[in-house]
Amino acid sequence: MGNMQDKCAIFDLDGVLVDTAKYHYLAWKNLAEELGFEFTLQQNEALKGVSRMRSLELLLGFGGLSDRFSQEEKEGMAEKKNKLYVEKIMHLEKKELFAGVLDFFEYLKKKDIKIALGSASKNAPLILERLEITGYFDTIVDGTQVSKAKPDPEVFVRAARNLKISCENCIVFEDSEAGLQAAKKAGMKAIGIGNADNLPMADLVIGSVDQYIPYLR
Ligand code: BG6
Ligand code: MG
């Protein structure tokens, strides 16, 4: 087990290690269309990193349908979306891992930097299995283990605690605004993956995780 001096890299999953963000978007878009409204890619930015039920609330808000449905109806909708989503990710393949991920994992191992997952997704274990990367992680914290979703820092703090590493020695890799906020609140370094325009909270924005290697040297 680690000591407080150790370092840890904590990875969000969807949109950081693999482009499942596009499948989340397509599944929500499908639901929106059934409900009779358009759901745009720009609106989808607000759903990234956000829990399933909270995402549904935001989606209904975009469609002007907040407060229209019972809890039971909403649960049915979330379940339907998830079914569609799982159908898509069931066929994920290792080659869909983002470029540079495996190289970066190997680099971290070599440097003795711990590797953690900090994802809001309840489907995280299935995705890691499909991508054949479960074994790289020193700890996995997913949507089944947290009570407060991002932007609450719980998911990342829990990962650090599992490894007995202090928060200031953790670096979080995130593609969502909610996740970057969570990392900041935890007192961790927050690295954005993607487009800097969408991620003003980040300490640094890079295109893929392996672009962080020079910063670790
Ligand atoms: C996050 C995604 O990783 O997980 C969100 O960015 C998603 O889009 C959330 O809503 C919850 O995922 P799931 O798989 O439990 O519905
Ligand atoms: Mg994400």
Side-chain angles (χ1 to χ4, degrees):
M1 210 17 94
N3 67 60
M4 297 305 268
Q5 309 309 314
D6 283 343
K7 277 195 190 166
C8 177
I10 307 180
F11 296 89
D12 172 49
L13 173 61
D14 298 313
V16 168
L17 301 180
V18 59
D19 191 11
T20 40
K22 73 175 176 225
Y23 298 132
H24 277 296
Y25 172 63
L26 288 174
W28 286 125
K29 188 172 157 65
N30 196 287
L31 180 67
E33 277 161 10
E34 274 181 25
L35 292 167
F37 63 92
E38 275 297 314
F39 175 52
T40 68
L41 268 172
Q42 195 52 46
Q43 290 171 329
N44 185 57
E45 284 302 308
L47 270 63
K48 287 186 177 173
V50 175
S51 73
R52 196 180 306 164
M53 282 315 275
R54 178 76 193 123
S55 295
L56 176 63
E57 299 289 355
L58 290 174
L59 185 83
L60 293 175
F62 288 133
L65 295 174
S66 298
D67 306 321
R68 290 281 187 88
F69 301 100
S70 69
Q71 189 56 28
E72 206 182 331
E73 285 170 318
K74 285 192 273 195
E75 270 156 26
M77 288 176 194
E79 206 178 299
K80 196 163 174 188
K81 179 266 171 182
N82 190 54
K83 250 190 162 162
L84 250 177
Y85 176 67
V86 171
E87 270 166 30
K88 296 179 198 292
I89 59 169
M90 251 166 45
H91 306 290
L92 271 179
E93 289 178 48
K94 193 173 182 179
K95 63 172 195 256
E96 288 175 76
L97 260 178
F98 278 144
V101 169
L102 290 181
D103 286 346
F104 191 46
F105 282 177
E106 294 295 346
Y107 182 83
L108 293 171
K109 291 265 173 231
K110 223 169 55 198
K111 287 267 171 185
D112 252 332
I113 298 173
K114 297 275 184 290
I115 300 178
L117 189 85
S119 168
S121 175
K122 295 181 172 159
N123 294 302
L126 166 64
I127 296 171
L128 298 183
E129 280 303 312
R130 293 293 318 166
L131 299 173
E132 299 172 33
I133 54 171
T134 312
Y136 278 103
F137 291 90
D138 297 293
T139 188
I140 292 173
V141 183
D142 66 32
T144 63
Q145 297 163 53
V146 290
S147 53
K148 286 175 255 139
K150 300 171 188 175
D152 189 283
E154 181 184 359
V155 61
F156 298 141
V157 172
R158 194 173 278 255
R161 218 175 268 160
N162 286 352
L163 297 170
K164 300 196 168 48
I165 293 176
S166 77
C167 287
E168 71 208 39
N169 290 333
C170 296
I171 311 159
V172 172
F173 296 88
E174 259 290 349
D175 70 320
S176 74
E177 195 54 14
L180 290 168
Q181 276 180 35
K184 291 294 232 179
K185 279 191 216 162
M188 299 175 178
K189 193 166 261 178
I191 310 302
I193 303 296
N195 182 342
D197 295 340
N198 294 329
L199 304 170
M201 284 287 295
D203 293 322
L204 170 78
V205 178
I206 49 181
S208 60
V209 290
D210 58 321
Q211 286 172 8
Y212 197 71
I213 291 179
Y215 297 90
L216 288 169
R217 283 198 176 117

